[in-house]
């Protein structure tokens, strides 16, 4: 393996943790045929950062950027996406008032947007909790997500959304909130998306389809306007909690046998270039 790749293969949402498998996971991705990674910040609490002031987010963002630099040295190209995980609201409100938590999360996103402005990152990450929360927390989370849309609009950059599980009604709600800020909708990425390619296309937002069993086959039935991701968390305490680093290259190369390479140039290169305004070159 590890011959020079002929096809770009992008995992559109991966975490790498130097305390866990770290670059070894990148090597596995590369040896399986992977070429590009959208590298997303790990949630603060998973790397032992207890946020008490906005500047604390820099610790997490700087780690992501440093990791992307190390990954680039392996020959895999990594593009950082920085932001504040929506579940942070629950972690923060265990130790502070909601108002203060919201302020911190908004500030974290503002710092992330500055990194984008400086060319250090290619997008933001926000969203809303994936588990049931009080109406108060839900409203606050939506307000934070909308602040993220506004910041992404200012930078004209992508924003990945971690949310509750979605069907069409939830995607419509998210799209309407995005529209209210004037952000270009192809910059709004539903991360961990089901294969609702047509619905997303109709709404204008972009799905990062989780490459679980059968999902990509389903997505391909609706077209090629999507990206592929594992949400690999690189957490040794939760092995098997998510898809492994070889998943996207393996699934892609398997599907090429049936569908040919063409759809995958769109999925792994053109779509990623359109959404993140990066160059996907081999
Ligand atoms: Zn993730």
């Amino acid at each position: 393996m590890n011959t020079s790749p002929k096809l770009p293969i992008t995992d559109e949402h991966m975490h790498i943790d130097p305390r866990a498998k770290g670059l070894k996971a990148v090597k596995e991705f590369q040896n399986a045929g992977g070429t590009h990674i959208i590298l997303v910040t790990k949630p603060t609490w998973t790397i032992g950062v207890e946020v008490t002031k906005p500047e604390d987010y820099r610790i997490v963002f700087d780690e992501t950027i440093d990791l992307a630099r190390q990954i680039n040295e392996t020959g895999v190209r990594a593009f950082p996406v920085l932001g504040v995980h929506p579940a942070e609201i629950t972690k923060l409100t265990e130790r502070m008032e909601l108002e203060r938590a919201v302020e911190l999360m908004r500030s974290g996103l503002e710092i992330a947007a500055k990194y984008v402005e400086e060319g250090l990152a290619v997008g933001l990450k926000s969203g809303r909790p994936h588990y049931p929360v009080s109406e108060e927390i839900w409203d606050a989370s939506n307000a934070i997500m909308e602040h993220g849309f506004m910041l992404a609009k200012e930078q004209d950059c992508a924003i990945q959304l971690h949310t509750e599980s979605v069907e069409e009604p939830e995607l419509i709600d998210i799209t309407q909130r995005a529209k209210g800020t004037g952000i270009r909708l192809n910059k709004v990425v539903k991360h961990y998306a089901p294969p609702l390619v047509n619905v997303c296309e109709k709404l204008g937002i972009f799905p990062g389809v989780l490459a679980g069993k059968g999902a990509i086959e389903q997505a391909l039935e609706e077209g090629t306007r999507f990206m592929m991701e594992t949400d690999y968390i690189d957490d040794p305490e939760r092995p098997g909690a998510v898809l492994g680093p070889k998943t996207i290259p393996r699934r892609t190369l398997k599907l090429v046998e049936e569908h040919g390479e063409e759809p995958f140039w769109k999925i792994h290169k053109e779509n990623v270039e359109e959404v993140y305004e990066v160059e996907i070159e081999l």
Side-chain angles (χ1 to χ4, degrees):
M1 293 300 278
N2 203 9
T3 49
S4 60
K6 293 184 189 69
L7 179 71
I9 296 182
T10 307
D11 190 328
E12 196 252 335
H13 186 115
M14 247 186 157
H15 305 275
I16 295 295
D17 190 338
R19 299 156 203 82
K21 230 176 192 179
L23 292 179
K24 276 193 205 127
V26 175
K27 217 56 207 164
E28 287 179 17
F29 171 74
Q30 185 176 33
N31 287 340
T35 61
H36 294 75
I37 293 172
I38 303 291
L39 184 72
V40 183
T41 32
K42 286 206 73 170
T44 53
W45 63 92
T46 67
I47 60 169
V49 175
E50 196 168 276
V51 175
T52 57
K53 56 186 185 306
E55 294 302 306
D56 292 338
Y57 284 107
R58 287 188 186 272
I59 303 166
V60 192
F61 300 163
D62 288 340
E63 178 173 306
T64 311
I65 285 161
D66 185 53
L67 267 166
R69 189 187 51 73
Q70 292 179 49
I71 293 169
N72 288 338
E73 284 169 9
T74 69
V76 170
R77 185 84 171 89
F79 303 104
V81 159
L82 310 176
V84 179
H85 195 286
E88 181 121 358
I89 200 160
T90 303
K91 305 280 174 189
L92 290 177
T93 51
E94 281 165 10
R95 3 186 259 272
M96 62 183 74
E97 295 292 319
L98 177 60
E99 204 178 322
R100 173 82 187 127
V102 169
E103 204 38 61
L104 269 176
M105 290 173 74
R106 287 170 60 103
S107 303
L109 284 168
E110 284 160 15
I111 292 170
K114 280 201 195 97
Y115 280 69
V116 173
E117 189 171 12
E118 288 164 19
L120 294 166
V122 301
L124 304 179
K125 150 109 182 256
S126 181
R128 55 193 189 189
H130 57 272
Y131 45 87
V133 291
S134 68
E135 203 179 319
E136 199 185 23
I137 298 261
W138 185 249
D139 292 345
S141 298
N142 275 312
I144 293 165
M145 180 174 75
E146 286 164 28
H147 188 58
F149 289 145
M150 207 199 71
L151 293 166
K153 178 202 149 55
E154 279 173 12
Q155 297 304 325
D156 194 25
C157 73
I159 178 163
Q160 280 202 14
L161 302 176
H162 169 107
T163 70
E164 78 278 22
S165 49
V166 294
E167 290 292 340
E168 186 164 2
E170 291 79 15
L171 291 172
I172 290 172
D173 177 63
I174 290 165
T175 304
Q176 276 166 353
R177 291 176 190 277
K179 265 189 183 158
T181 67
I183 186 175
R184 287 203 284 154
L185 292 175
N186 65 347
K187 300 287 152 200
V188 177
V189 179
K190 172 60 187 102
H191 143 63
Y192 215 98
L196 295 173
V197 177
N198 287 337
V199 171
C200 288
E201 182 159 18
K202 188 178 73 185
L203 294 172
I205 64 173
F206 240 102
V209 176
L210 190 81
K213 205 170 186 311
I216 304 304
E217 287 84 345
Q218 272 191 53
L220 284 167
E221 280 175 25
E222 298 193 4
T224 53
R225 191 183 175 279
F226 67 94
M227 297 173 287
M228 286 169 67
E229 56 171 63
T230 53
D231 198 12
Y232 176 65
I233 53 170
D234 204 12
D235 184 344
E237 277 162 32
R238 294 173 63 204
V242 286
L243 303 168
K246 299 176 207 160
T247 309
I248 300 298
R250 281 190 172 170
R251 291 256 202 288
T252 299
L253 294 172
K254 185 85 194 116
L255 287 163
V256 161
E257 292 171 16
E258 193 191 331
H259 297 264
E261 282 191 0
E262 206 183 306
F264 296 98
W265 281 90
K266 177 87 171 17
I267 292 161
H268 290 306
K269 176 180 162 74
E270 288 170 38
N271 291 343
V272 182
E273 289 180 335
E274 176 189 337
V275 173
Y276 294 98
E277 315 224 355
V278 296
E279 280 186 31
I280 303 292
E281 301 293 346
L282 292 176

